[in-house]
Amino acid sequence: MVSKLDNTSSVGDRPTTAPAAPTIAPGSVGTVETCYLDLPHPVRLDCGRELRPVRVAYETYGALSPRRDNVIMVCHALSGDAHAAGFSKAPADHGTRDGFGAEDRDGAAGPGLGWWDGMIGPGKAFDTDRYFIISTNLLGGCRGTTGPSSPDPATDRPYGSDFPVITVADMVRTQRAFLDELGIKRLAAVAGGSLGGMQAFEWAILYPDQIGAVIAIASTHALHPQGMAWNAIARDAIMRDPAWQGGHYYGTGQTPEAGMGVARMIGHVTYLSAPALRDKFGRRLQFADDIRYTITEPEFEVESYLRHQADSFVKRFDANTYLYTSRALTYFDLARQYGRGSLARALNGVSARTLLIAFSSDWLYPPSGSREIEDALRTVGKRAELHVIDAPYGHDCFLLEEARQTPIIRHFFEEGP
């Protein structure tokens, strides 16, 4: 187990933020290393099972204050990981910034750049000159935290589909147990986009006295039926691939890459908007001046782009993790879980200030969901503010519109507790 934190940005003898190289751009946290912590106690899950052992992968940025009161937990979305900012000391061949326009956005930075690098660092929205930022890979993950690809202590083989079904609340309880081992009792804020925002809401409800603020971006209180339907199709694509083998494909020499690729293409389209696809691709042909009358090969740029997304994703992500995380997304429903059908009742115990940011073109997590949360919070006398940013890129806006989110978040922090 990694030792508890001191009042610096290092953990034990392993610094998570190395000195910045001379070529590092201003505002970067520099070169970072992912660390790991083994929880000493089992995690009790909503499904009724206990999970043990549990390892958590994490990174930290900035310095912990002597009073340990400047901690922000940043939570990632479905396909993210603990590497949220800076340049990885040991970059993978394929990073998590492989979304819409990633190559144009990142240039020569490559796969070593953190998935929310534009938001975390000195002077950025989550200012490491002021705050100590923690990012963990969520429970069920495949980037260092215990998940379906981890060894099952009962068999010494990967869990596969024997891994217990998990919920967003289980992810948050794991984060709470992780912070206990670091000696951190209270968070100044929990922030995240998409599934990350869902985790922030769970924090506010499960641990109302341990969190000062919620920043939920492009998120919701419950995925709407259309989103649930697309998630179901993506999961089905994986499970119908014969190489899935009932979830026990590890060590067989086969992985469900075909089904996983289709799932990624489905998911990626839901993250975009019709105007974004039209503006970037239109109906332009990929390889020729005229159609080639082929079924098996991509004819259009948009088809080639989706295949590229699929090919990149299957090389870095585990299909079972996709299944389990997608299922957790569909289970998430604050009104059902905590309010007997009433969102206002579910949020009645929240004490944290809440900042909601939504995007006009996001049809997967539409602004209407954020408005419902704002209305419910205000109904029960809680502090909440909503900003809807007019932007064309769909759900991916929370990763692309960093410059427009930053002043909103900075002003929210400046207003104080």
Side-chain angles (χ1 to χ4, degrees), residues 4 25 43 45 109 152 174 178 196 222 264 271 364 381 387 400 404 417:
K4 295 183 181 181
V43 175
L45 305 174
D152 180 348
T174 303
F178 160 79
R264 176 58 172 176
Y271 304 150
L364 185 61
H387 298 262
L400 300 172
R404 298 174 69 185

Side-chain angles (χ1 to χ4, degrees), residues 143-154:
R143 305 276 283 195
T145 294
T146 298
S149 60
S150 302
D152 180 348

Side-chain angles (χ1 to χ4, degrees), residues 205 221-222 333-350 372-373 375-380:
I205 291 173
H221 56 87
D333 183 343
L334 296 181
R336 176 188 60 81
Q337 293 168 240
Y338 303 111
R340 301 191 303 278
S342 166
L343 183 58
R345 186 182 295 118
L347 298 175
N348 189 51
V350 171
E372 290 169 0
I373 295 170
D375 290 344
L377 285 167
R378 292 185 181 277
T379 295
V380 292

Side-chain angles (χ1 to χ4, degrees), residues 201 213-215 350 352-356 373 377 383-385 412:
F201 291 132
V214 165
I215 301 174
V350 171
R353 295 189 304 132
T354 301
L355 171 63
L356 305 162
I373 295 170
L377 285 167
R383 300 170 63 184
E385 62 179 85
F412 178 74

Side-chain angles (χ1 to χ4, degrees), residues 1-5 11 14 34-41 53-58 136 144-146 174-175 177-183:
M1 182 194 304
V2 177
S3 63
K4 295 183 181 181
L5 293 178
V11 180
R14 300 183 58 193
T34 302
C35 292
Y36 305 87
L37 186 149
D38 296 317
L39 299 181
H41 306 294
V54 174
R55 168 166 288 192
V56 178
Y58 71 102
T136 67
T145 294
T146 298
T174 303
Q175 292 166 353
F178 160 79
L179 291 173
D180 285 342
E181 293 309 301
L182 299 188

Side-chain angles (χ1 to χ4, degrees), residues 1-7 11 37 39-40 58 64-71 132 134 175-187 210:
M1 182 194 304
V2 177
S3 63
K4 295 183 181 181
L5 293 178
D6 58 19
N7 292 327
V11 180
L37 186 149
L39 299 181
Y58 71 102
L64 183 63
S65 68
R67 297 179 61 183
R68 303 188 173 215
D69 59 357
N70 68 331
V71 182
F132 183 66
I134 299 177
Q175 292 166 353
R176 177 63 272 175
F178 160 79
L179 291 173
D180 285 342
E181 293 309 301
L182 299 188
I184 294 171
K185 302 304 180 185
R186 179 177 170 80
L187 296 170
Q210 300 174 25

Side-chain angles (χ1 to χ4, degrees), residues 191-403:
S194 193
L195 172 59
M198 295 177 176
Q199 294 168 67
F201 291 132
E202 288 279 7
W203 264 100
I205 291 173
L206 292 175
Y207 306 106
D209 298 329
Q210 300 174 25
I211 171 175
V214 165
I215 301 174
I217 305 168
S219 195
T220 186
H221 56 87
L223 198 63
H224 59 70
Q226 187 179 21
M228 295 171 66
W230 286 117
N231 271 279
I233 295 169
R235 290 195 302 273
D236 212 42
I238 294 171
M239 293 185 289
R240 286 176 183 267
D241 186 333
W244 185 59
Q245 303 173 71
H248 297 286
Y249 49 85
Y250 307 106
T252 67
Q254 298 183 70
T255 55
E257 290 189 359
M260 185 62 174
V262 172
R264 176 58 172 176
M265 288 192 282
I266 291 168
H268 196 66
V269 169
T270 69
Y271 304 150
L272 305 178
S273 69
L277 288 168
R278 181 193 64 229
D279 292 345
K280 186 171 180 64
F281 302 110
R283 290 186 55 84
R284 290 187 297 275
L285 294 167
Q286 177 69 21
F287 298 113
D289 295 331
D290 201 355
I291 60 174
R292 297 175 297 164
Y293 299 98
T294 174
I295 293 174
T296 58
E297 297 301 317
E299 288 271 33
F300 298 92
E301 286 185 3
V302 66
E303 296 173 344
S304 182
Y305 170 77
L306 289 174
R307 285 199 179 187
H308 169 70
Q309 288 295 317
D311 291 344
S312 298
F313 192 67
V314 300
K315 293 173 182 175
R316 73 167 177 87
F317 209 77
D318 179 59
N320 280 333
T321 284
Y322 195 99
L323 293 175
Y324 277 83
T325 308
S326 171
R327 174 53 84 189
L329 276 169
T330 60
Y331 281 150
F332 181 80
D333 183 343
L334 296 181
R336 176 188 60 81
Q337 293 168 240
Y338 303 111
R340 301 191 303 278
S342 166
L343 183 58
R345 186 182 295 118
L347 298 175
N348 189 51
V350 171
S351 60
R353 295 189 304 132
T354 301
L355 171 63
L356 305 162
I357 299 176
F359 300 93
S360 60
S361 59
D362 185 354
W363 59 268
L364 185 61
Y365 292 74
S368 59
S370 294
R371 291 191 184 98
E372 290 169 0
I373 295 170
E374 181 192 33
D375 290 344
L377 285 167
R378 292 185 181 277
T379 295
V380 292
K382 308 300 180 179
R383 300 170 63 184
E385 62 179 85
L386 167 63
H387 298 262
V388 179
I389 297 175
D390 187 15
Y393 308 112
H395 187 56
D396 263 0
C397 283
F398 85 92
L399 298 171
L400 300 172
E401 293 286 349
E402 295 168 329

